[in-house]
Amino acid sequence: MISSDDKKEMISVMINICTRVVTLIFVVVTIFRKCFEAGDAMLWSLKDIWGVIIIGMVSGLGFGIFYIKKNMSNKQLIIFKILYFIIINSVLCFIGLKFNWFKKDFSSIALMEVMFILVFFVVTVLVYLLDFNEAKKINEKLKARRGIK
């Protein structure tokens, strides 16, 4: 059973993932639109905003998979990461098609996938760096408690 502190930590991480994904989606899409679309119109409809928020929420909730079992083997971790990638990509494709974010042609789908992979990679690196820094702080506190320098 998950303790109260573990639940709070899991919820905190899931919210952080959600906010990072939403922020990076807006940044990446804005940059792509600015670079590849003619005109200065950068309008986001309410439908688009909700779609991005849904993708962010699914990303955050999906990351909860990693808290089901914290001490995973490398093989399990890779399987969970692949599953996580597929889930988020499926949601993106479903929402993207539903909200007409891209057309059903190769170049449109390829551009959407490039943006998705970019956001996924950046969020993964950010989470890794935050976990690494947290582990480093914990190790420093343990060393200080033991009197080791």
Side-chain angles (χ1 to χ4, degrees):
M1 179 170 249
I2 299 176
S3 71
S4 178
D5 288 339
D6 286 343
K7 285 181 185 177
K8 287 178 185 176
E9 180 186 351
M10 182 175 81
I11 290 170
S12 174
V13 169
M14 289 166 61
I15 290 171
N16 285 330
I17 296 292
C18 178
T19 56
R20 285 184 186 100
V21 167
V22 169
T23 302
L24 281 168
I25 288 173
F26 282 123
V27 168
V28 168
V29 170
T30 300
I31 291 169
F32 269 83
R33 281 185 174 176
K34 203 66 167 156
C35 293
F36 296 112
E37 287 184 9
D40 292 329
M42 291 293 297
L43 302 175
W44 289 87
S45 71
L46 188 57
K47 180 175 69 170
D48 295 331
I49 293 168
W50 273 111
V52 171
I53 290 171
I54 290 168
I55 291 169
M57 288 174 17
V58 169
S59 298
L61 291 171
F63 199 79
I65 292 171
F66 295 105
Y67 275 84
I68 293 170
K69 187 176 179 189
K70 282 195 172 188
N71 298 322
M72 289 188 257
S73 68
N74 286 339
K75 186 177 179 180
Q76 288 174 322
L77 185 63
I78 290 169
I79 291 169
F80 277 113
K81 285 222 181 240
I82 291 169
L83 179 63
Y84 181 61
F85 181 89
I86 290 170
I87 290 169
I88 296 171
N89 201 6
S90 299
V91 169
L92 170 70
C93 289
F94 176 76
I95 290 174
L97 287 171
K98 186 92 170 145
F99 291 172
N100 297 318
W101 288 351
F102 55 91
K103 299 172 189 143
K104 292 181 182 178
D105 65 29
F106 179 76
S107 62
S108 183
I109 293 171
L111 184 61
M112 181 64 76
E113 285 298 314
V114 166
M115 288 189 287
F116 168 72
I117 291 169
L118 179 65
V119 169
F120 186 85
F121 176 75
V122 171
V123 170
T124 301
V125 169
L126 285 174
V127 169
Y128 172 79
L129 291 174
L130 290 172
D131 286 348
F132 180 78
N133 285 335
E134 188 67 28
K136 188 176 176 182
K137 287 178 189 177
I138 291 169
N139 285 333
E140 288 172 2
K141 287 179 183 179
L142 287 172
K143 285 179 183 178
R145 181 178 278 176
R146 292 181 188 153
I148 302 171
K149 290 190 179 186

